[in-house]
Every structure is written in structure tokens, then in C-alpha cells.
Amino acid sequence: MSNIKLPLRDIEFALFELLHFEDHYAKYCPSLDRDLTKALLAENARFCEDVLAPLTAIGDSEGCRIVDSKVITPRGFKEAYKQYCDAGWPSLARSAAYGGQGLPQSLGIVANEMSATANYAWTMYPGLSQGAMHTIESHGSDEQKQTYLPPLISGQWTGTMCLTEAHCGTDLGMLKTKAVPLEGGRYAITGTKIFISSGDHDLAENIVHIVLARLPDAPAGTKGISLFIVPKYLPNADGGLGAHNGVKCASLEHKMGIHGNATCVLNFEGAVGTLLGKVNKGLNLMFTFMNLARLGAALQGIAHAEAGYQAALNYSRERLQGRSLSGVKNPAGTADPIISHPDVRRMLLTQKALSEGMRMMAYFAAKRVDIAQHGHSENDRQMAQEMLSVITPIAKGFITELGFESANLALQCFGGHGYIKEYGVEQNVRDCRIASLYEGTTGVQALDLLGRKILLSDGKLMEGFTKCIQYFCQDPTNAPELSPYVETLARLLNEWLGVTERIGARAQQNPDEVGAASVDYLMYCGYIFMGYLWARAAKTALAALTTTNEEHDFYRAKLTTARFYFERILPRTLSLVATMNSGAGNLMELPAEHFAF
């Protein structure tokens, strides 16, 4: 899939026409106007298409390997990373105080989506560094910021997130990695972490690990976890590299996909680290990293949906098989292109609706990231953060699930040819599968959404988002053509509130009701979220068709896709309501010992 073309026109539609980022940037970054944004994205697209995309298949076939105790990345990865750093891309959305360009985080999110679409395995190396930088900038001491942020921002160093251990994945309260105090405010970190993406490699001269560990006198469970900065090489006082720290890559995981990224088992053998933030507050602080990583995982869903859709669309236009039931479409040939057949169109339109809809969702969230960080008032920042607390688990869970669905549909369009390596769509499916697993599975995101965010707040955290839908439905400027969408959204909004209340009532009697409904609830919320944005997209397209003589085909395609979404995809909410209302009994009635082979 080396011939990827980044969808710049659709990106610009979502940013500027739908979500009004030009006004947003005028408020938060006046130097970043529409022309400059488009120029930056165009240049990023050139790098992604010309440099990263051709490395996708190479990364899959070669993978990473350990040679003389060093992790070697696939051919071309190191050179691409140097070009990336030389062009200043790592510093795009980082603080100018430490060498960054100071542009909004949302622009960095869009750039990351583009590189992920071209080559996700490669994108993980600089992508995880963004989370490390954000965590250190948010919670580090002045000395830690001065030591680690400049080389991370330049790309000279990279970063990782080290949580998982063999016995503890989701349940981090079982964590065993130890942190023993040393002189001078340092700690000796000992333990083994697994599944560490970008844990070791040859792209950068140093790797900064953000590690969860437990002090000797720490309370049991999650309340006794602290956060540490543990570099691969200890920095000297002058900023140069000192001695090799006690961090070793014991092995590389043999994975289903993303072979180009080094997923490591890391042994910390008395490695020297410094405390990040306060003692025993590590898990809370790590969520700064994890929430950014969860939005990054959502971008992976979009990336694989887009890459698969482009491949499937090109193939469906060229592949000749059978005659159209409604009449010959290719009289000069022996058969018609398979895009003539209704079922192929069903698959293609599903991919188009999902990939474009997921992009709108991600940019909607990205806008709130900017406001949460730089809002002009405390109230603005708090409202944005509250909305993010709800839409982040939806984005991570829903988008990664539908990204995988879309990648599978792309393969299906190819028939048997999709199952072989020649076209790259089977790699796209394999690479995509991890997205709904790491950074918290869909089930974990769903429990976070329904249990922690919605029910524990008595629904208050969902009010900001539901008001967005309510305001849209009540907007007097809505054209008559939007009535079907407005009426459907208004009905779903009332239904959503009712479903939430019923689950909450049942959960007071049986806590398992939350877990029984949670994944269906997350997907239900996601379909409504996407429906709201497709309705807005239809409104934007209608307005454009009446005010411009250009790009009528583009805007008509938006209207057609919105209609497809509302008539073919949004009705999935009907079955989700039925399963949520069925309760926990049909899941929990069968004793565990009766699950027989």
C-alpha cells in the first residue's frame, strides 16, 4: 500500500468548514492562519507519501531484530526518522520554552494521523515521545524539564510508557516493579516490563522511559504506585550522554502485526531513575500519558480505515467481474468493474462513511485538547476537560473497533486477492488489530465511560456533549433537507438519556449491570456522536452548494454519505438498545464451571 495519498481535501473540510479551526486558531494561535496550516499539512503529506509509505511493506517483511544486544529497525526507518527530525516535525506542537514551535496540539494530532495512515509502525516511535514530553512538561520539576524536554522535542531522544508486567495488565494494582531510594533523590528501579512499544531501537541516541514502580513502604494496590523517569543512558550535567543505565531489551515480542515497531520486554536491573511528581500518585499522573496515547490509538483506527478504503476503492474501479444487474456499465470490456455491484458499494460506502466520520470525531476531540490546555478562562478549560473525559474513551473504543471493521471490509472487496500479501490489505488488517487492545481494551474504555464518567457523575459529565446535539437540533438555521437527521438525533438524544437512567437504576441493585451494558453503551454513544457530526457535515455541504460554483461533486458526495450513514449505519443503535435493555442475567446466569468444551 505504498501508493497512499493523504486525503488533504477531506482533512481541510473537517478542519475549516465543519469545525471552524480557522477561528479557533485565531483565538489560540494567531500566527497559524488557514494558508499556513494548509502549507504545513501539504508538506507533511509529501513526507508521508514519499518517504514513509514505501517503508510500510518493508517494515512488515523485515521486522525488528536484535543484533549484538542492540535492536535494529527495518531498512529505511532510521533514515526516515532523521529526515523527520531535520524537518522539525517532532517539535511542531511542543512548548517554545524548550525548543518547540509552540503550535497547537490539535495540529500535531492531524499530522500524526497523516503519518499513521502512511506507516503506523514507524509513527509509533515519535508518537510515544509526544506522550512522554507531555507528561514531563505537565508534572516534572524544572530540572527534569530542562534535562529531558529539549532533546525529546528535537527528536534526538525518544520516549516510552512502561506500565505492563507479565502478571499485571489492566490491573496495575498488582504491579511489582520496585523503586529503592538512593542518595541525591534518585531511585534504583528493578523489574520487568512487557509489551513496551518502541522500547529499544536505533533511531535515536537515547530513550526516556516513563515507568510505574512501587516504593518499599508503599501502600498495596494502585494507591502505592509512583512514576519515574528512567533513561537508557544517564545524561551528563552538560546534557550529553553518560553511562549506560541498567535497562536492557531482553527480547522482542513476536506479533500479529506492526512488525516494524519494536515491542520489547525490558529488564530494569537497578536502573537509576528520578521521581516524576509526588510519591504514590503515579497512576494518576500516568493518565496524562495514557489519555494522549488513547487518542493516538483512535488515530490508528482512522489510519487503517483510510488506507484500506483507498486500496479497496482503487481495486473496485479496476477489477472486472460479472455484469451489473441494472445494465452493462463497461460495454467495451468482458465484464463490469466490481464497483458497479450493490454489495461492493455497501462495503465501500461503509468504509467512506466510517473513515470520514471518525476523522471528524478525532478533530472534534482535538479542538477540546487545545481549549483544555490553553483556554482563556478556567471555566473554558474545565468544560473542555470534562467533555474530553467523556469523548476520549468513546473515541478510543469506538474508532478502533470501527477502524478494524473498515479494514476488514477493504480486504473483503479484494476477495481472495486480499488474503495474499501482494496488495497489502492483509497487513493493514493485521496491523489494525492491536488498536482496540492496547491503552486499555474496548471493555476497559467502556467501563471507564459508563461506570466512572457517566454514572459516578450522575450524568453531569455527559451534559456538555448532549447540549451540543441539542443546540444543533434546535438551530433555526437548519434547512428543511436536514429534517430527517434532526428528528433522528432528537429521538436518539432522549433515548440515550433514558437508557442511561435505566442502566443506572439496575446497577444499584446489581453492579454487574454496568459491565453487562458497557461495551454496547460505548458503541451506542459512538454512533450518536458520529451521527451528530455527519448531520453537521450535511448542513455544511448544503450551504456550500448554495454559495459556491466549485466542487459540487465533493459536496454532493458528503450529502450522499451522510444519508447512507443515517439510513444504513446509525440504525445499529436499535439492536444496541435491545441488548443493553436485556440486562446482565443472560450473561451471568451460567456458572463458570458449566462453560464446557
Side-chain angles (χ1 to χ4, degrees):
M1 300 175 73
S2 61
N3 59 343
I4 194 78
K5 295 296 179 185
L6 277 302
L8 287 174
R9 182 64 188 91
D10 193 66
I11 289 171
E12 291 166 8
F13 172 82
L15 285 175
F16 301 120
E17 298 176 61
L18 178 72
L19 296 171
H20 308 295
F21 266 78
E22 188 169 11
D23 295 337
H24 174 73
Y25 287 156
K27 183 183 294 186
Y28 294 104
C29 186
S31 63
L32 186 63
D33 61 16
R34 186 168 183 163
D35 288 341
L36 178 56
T37 303
K38 291 174 66 174
L40 287 168
L41 295 180
E43 182 59 25
N44 186 53
R46 184 205 60 76
F47 170 74
C48 294
E49 293 169 1
D50 295 349
V51 179
L52 296 185
L55 300 176
T56 301
I58 294 171
D60 185 59
S61 60
E62 291 187 6
C64 298
R65 63 195 192 280
I66 298 178
V67 179
D68 297 330
S69 301
K70 297 179 181 179
V71 175
I72 307 299
T73 54
R75 176 167 37 97
F77 273 44
K78 187 174 183 178
E79 293 76 11
Y81 185 74
K82 184 178 186 304
Q83 289 187 49
Y84 175 81
C85 294
D86 288 347
W89 292 114
S91 66
L92 187 71
R94 304 284 16 132
S95 172
Y98 301 99
Q101 299 179 49
L103 296 176
Q105 186 71 41
S106 58
L107 184 64
I109 289 172
V110 177
N112 287 342
E113 179 214 334
M114 295 169 69
S115 61
T117 303
N119 189 331
Y120 189 77
W122 182 93
T123 298
M124 293 174 72
Y125 292 105
L128 285 162
S129 297
Q130 295 295 325
M133 288 184 258
H134 187 53
T135 305
I136 293 171
E137 188 170 352
S138 299
H139 306 296
S141 66
D142 289 342
E143 181 181 356
Q144 288 171 330
K145 293 176 185 178
Q146 292 292 346
T147 300
Y148 292 104
L149 287 178
L152 282 168
I153 286 173
S154 71
Q156 185 179 359
W157 298 357
T158 62
T160 76
M161 173 173 60
C162 298
L163 287 74
T164 307
E165 300 176 7
H167 55 280
C168 105
T170 300
D171 189 355
L172 290 170
M174 299 170 64
L175 182 143
K176 293 181 179 178
T177 298
K178 298 177 181 177
V180 177
L182 302 172
E183 293 181 355
R186 302 181 302 163
Y187 296 81
I189 311 298
T190 302
T192 298
K193 300 289 185 178
I194 66 170
F195 302 159
I196 307 306
S197 299
S198 311
D200 200 4
H201 54 78
D202 58 353
L203 305 187
E205 65 180 34
N206 201 7
I207 303 173
V208 180
H209 303 290
I210 308 298
V211 184
L212 286 179
R214 191 183 300 279
L215 290 165
D217 58 351
T222 57
K223 294 182 179 180
I225 298 174
S226 299
L227 192 60
F228 299 88
I229 302 175
V230 187
K232 178 179 178 179
Y233 291 94
L234 294 169
N236 289 327
D238 62 1
L241 294 185
H244 190 286
N245 208 354
V247 186
K248 296 180 181 179
C249 177
S251 64
L252 296 173
E253 305 287 2
H254 299 279
K255 313 187 297 288
M256 176 180 179
I258 54 170
H259 296 158
N261 191 264
T263 306
C264 302
V265 175
L266 292 183
N267 288 339
F268 293 84
E269 302 169 350
V272 176
T274 56
L275 181 69
L276 184 57
K278 295 181 179 179
V279 169
N280 298 331
K281 299 296 182 182
L283 191 57
N284 293 336
L285 302 184
M286 183 59 97
F287 271 103
T288 302
F289 199 142
M290 290 172 66
N291 284 333
L292 201 61
R294 285 170 175 175
L295 288 176
L299 297 182
Q300 184 180 1
I302 303 168
H304 293 301
E306 178 65 38
Y309 171 61
Q310 289 192 22
L313 178 60
N314 290 334
Y315 183 81
S316 299
R317 285 170 168 165
E318 298 170 357
R319 177 69 169 171
L320 304 180
Q321 289 288 289
R323 288 297 188 188
S324 168
L325 296 176
S326 59
V328 174
K329 302 296 188 292
N330 179 35
T334 58
D336 291 328
I338 63 173
I339 197 172
S340 307
H341 304 309
D343 190 57
V344 174
R345 284 179 168 251
R346 172 189 63 83
M347 293 187 287
L348 290 173
L349 276 168
T350 299
Q351 293 170 70
K352 179 177 173 62
L354 295 183
S355 62
E356 294 177 12
M358 292 186 290
R359 181 171 296 114
M360 294 186 283
M361 293 172 72
Y363 295 0
F364 183 95
K367 197 172 185 180
R368 273 73 200 168
V369 170
D370 289 345
I371 300 171
Q373 293 177 0
H374 306 294
H376 293 165
S377 70
E378 177 60 32
N379 184 60
D380 287 348
R381 293 191 294 272
Q382 182 177 344
M383 287 179 64
Q385 189 58 55
E386 288 179 354
M387 190 176 290
L388 274 174
S389 71
V390 171
I391 62 179
T392 295
I394 296 174
K396 198 283 179 184
F398 179 79
I399 291 178
T400 57
E401 291 287 345
L402 293 194
F404 185 60
E405 175 187 341
S406 190
N408 272 294
L409 286 172
L411 189 152
Q412 192 75 11
C413 288
F414 281 79
H417 291 280
Y419 199 66
I420 61 176
K421 286 184 175 293
E422 179 180 356
Y423 292 96
V425 287
E426 61 84 31
Q427 179 192 343
N428 194 51
V429 171
R430 288 186 289 105
D431 286 353
C432 186
R433 185 62 187 91
I434 186 62
S436 61
L437 299 176
Y438 55 15
E439 315 309 342
T441 63
T442 305
V444 170
Q445 303 303 319
L447 281 174
D448 178 49
L449 172 67
L450 179 57
R452 293 182 64 244
K453 304 295 173 56
I454 303 300
L455 296 182
L456 282 184
S457 73
D458 291 325
K460 290 183 174 60
L461 288 179
M462 67 187 291
E463 289 178 359
F465 184 66
T466 56
K467 284 180 180 177
C468 289
I469 301 176
Q470 185 178 22
Y471 292 156
F472 174 80
C473 292
Q474 295 174 350
D475 189 343
T477 67
N478 288 334
E481 294 92 332
L482 297 175
S483 294
Y485 306 149
V486 170
E487 291 168 5
T488 299
L489 286 174
R491 175 185 62 79
L492 285 170
L493 183 58
N494 289 329
E495 181 181 75
W496 187 6
L497 298 174
V499 166
T500 305
E501 289 176 1
R502 287 193 294 275
I503 296 171
R506 293 200 306 269
Q508 291 181 359
Q509 305 300 318
N510 179 6
D512 277 338
E513 291 287 348
V514 177
S518 59
V519 170
D520 292 338
Y521 186 87
L522 180 145
M523 298 302 291
Y524 176 80
C525 295
Y527 286 118
I528 296 173
F529 185 0
M530 187 180 285
Y532 159 67
L533 290 170
W534 265 119
R536 285 184 57 179
K539 181 174 182 175
T540 302
L542 276 172
L545 285 169
T546 61
T547 58
T548 180
N549 294 319
E550 300 176 354
E551 298 187 295
H552 277 202
D553 289 346
F554 176 83
Y555 292 115
R556 289 193 185 102
K558 287 293 180 191
L559 292 176
T560 300
T561 310
R563 178 188 173 195
F564 175 87
Y565 181 83
F566 268 79
E567 295 180 1
R568 286 271 183 164
I569 298 179
L570 192 56
R572 295 178 184 185
T573 55
L574 297 171
S575 62
L576 291 170
V577 169
T579 54
M580 285 188 285
N581 286 339
S582 73
N586 49 34
L587 296 178
M588 308 307 294
E589 180 179 344
L590 186 66
E593 60 271 17
H594 291 177
F595 279 80
F597 285 75

